[in-house]
Amino acid sequence: MPESEGLAQSPPQPLFLTTHWSVVLAAKDKSSPGCSEALEILCRTYWYPLYAFVRGSGYSPHDAQDLTQGFFEKLLAKDYLRVVDPEKGRFRTFLKTAIKRFLVHEWERGTAEKRGGGQVPLRFDTAMAEQRFQAETTNMLGPDQLYDRQWAFTLLEQVATRLEREYAEAGKAFDLKELKPYLTEERGRIPYARIASALRTSEGAARVAVHRLRKRFRELFREVIAETVSEPAEVEEEMRHVIGVLSRI
């Protein structure tokens, strides 16, 4: 099938209409319908970077699990949403600042609830989290570096998930499987003839398919980044930050 008849091009999505910040700010109003559920989804998305931050701060696996879960209990209870600055800034910075404040005011004061001491609204695969933490921390990184690295990985996972959904909906999941290994490959090293054979298409169509995948990846990456900032002017700077973090890995 010619590439032009394959993956449908999604219409541009308006940015800054539904961002992480719009969810957080709306969730401050307990009467706002659906916002608690939306906030819970954000917590499930970004919990691992926070777990990595806590572990990197020197806490044991058991304590890090308690603290991370306790933090989200406070967040979902709106305790920390009341003090969100109207200027907002970056969602990445907000969460890191909030977990730092939580560690100081909840744990070091001895007021953090132990596991089982209260109702924890979210449960995570903490065993998997510790295995992942141990596997990924071969270098001695500080908690802020660990957080930023895992934040970047989390954003990439979101981009990958959206790509997979789009290709699957277009009936081209197999195409993505074949093309994905070359997403970041140097152009001169991409085996277009092999790709064409696998996709049963022409070499020219294979080149177009790789180009379109890369273009869509960049678009989705920008879209995911845009959801974490409060102003359009912040997108480029935040993209540079995340790319810089990934380039050091």
Side-chain angles (χ1 to χ4, degrees):
M1 178 186 298
E3 178 61 27
S4 60
E5 298 176 12
L7 185 67
Q9 297 298 302
S10 300
Q13 297 298 314
L15 302 181
F16 307 103
L17 294 182
T18 304
T19 67
H20 297 348
W21 277 118
S22 66
V23 171
V24 170
L25 294 178
K28 294 171 67 175
D29 179 6
K30 293 185 178 181
S31 65
S32 189
C35 286
S36 292
E37 291 79 3
L39 183 61
E40 187 171 319
I41 291 174
L42 289 185
C43 292
R44 291 187 183 279
T45 300
Y46 293 105
W47 72 273
Y48 182 72
L50 291 164
Y51 177 84
F53 178 87
V54 178
R55 282 287 284 118
S57 298
Y59 293 94
S60 69
H62 182 275
D63 288 342
Q65 292 166 13
D66 283 337
L67 286 164
T68 306
Q69 291 177 338
F71 169 74
F72 282 117
E73 182 177 11
K74 290 287 186 181
L75 189 68
L76 291 171
K78 314 299 190 297
D79 287 20
Y80 285 179
L81 300 184
R82 291 181 291 103
V83 296
V84 172
D85 191 290
E87 294 299 320
K88 301 181 290 297
R90 292 162 176 77
F91 193 65
R92 167 177 57 83
T93 304
F94 161 69
L95 283 182
K96 185 164 65 173
T97 301
I99 191 70
K100 286 180 177 180
R101 186 171 70 244
F102 176 80
L103 293 179
V104 171
H105 294 290
E106 300 297 329
W107 183 258
E108 293 184 1
R109 286 181 176 182
T111 58
E113 291 184 349
K114 299 299 182 181
R115 182 172 301 159
Q119 182 180 3
V120 180
L122 296 178
R123 287 292 180 183
F124 310 110
D125 189 344
T126 51
M128 177 279 294
E130 183 57 25
Q131 291 176 359
R132 178 176 171 182
F133 180 82
Q134 292 294 339
E136 293 175 343
T137 53
T138 54
N139 300 320
M140 297 302 294
L141 299 176
D144 290 277
Q145 292 172 302
L146 285 170
Y147 176 84
D148 281 353
R149 183 168 74 167
Q150 297 309 325
W151 182 271
F153 284 157
T154 298
L155 296 181
L156 288 181
E157 289 169 1
Q158 291 183 65
V159 174
T161 297
R162 296 184 190 190
L163 267 178
E164 290 168 0
R165 182 172 61 245
E166 288 185 2
Y167 273 75
E169 289 175 351
K172 299 179 74 68
F174 176 79
D175 295 46
L176 180 61
K177 180 180 178 181
E178 292 296 319
L179 296 169
K180 202 171 181 180
Y182 310 108
L183 187 58
T184 59
E185 185 65 86
E186 295 180 12
R187 294 188 182 278
R189 300 180 60 181
I190 299 176
Y192 292 111
R194 195 208 68 78
I195 296 173
S197 176
L199 299 183
R200 298 182 179 181
T201 189
S202 68
E203 189 169 332
R207 290 178 180 274
V208 171
V210 172
H211 171 75
R212 288 186 173 176
L213 173 62
R214 291 184 174 209
K215 181 174 182 291
R216 187 56 183 151
F217 179 88
R218 291 192 297 270
E219 292 171 347
L220 288 174
F221 182 63
R222 179 180 174 81
E223 179 182 299
V224 167
I225 292 288
E227 292 171 358
T228 71
V229 298
S230 58
E231 300 292 338
E234 297 173 334
V235 174
E236 295 300 329
E237 183 178 348
E238 187 69 357
M239 286 181 68
R240 287 194 294 271
H241 172 81
V242 174
I243 291 172
V245 170
L246 294 171
S247 69
R248 294 191 292 272
I249 295 173

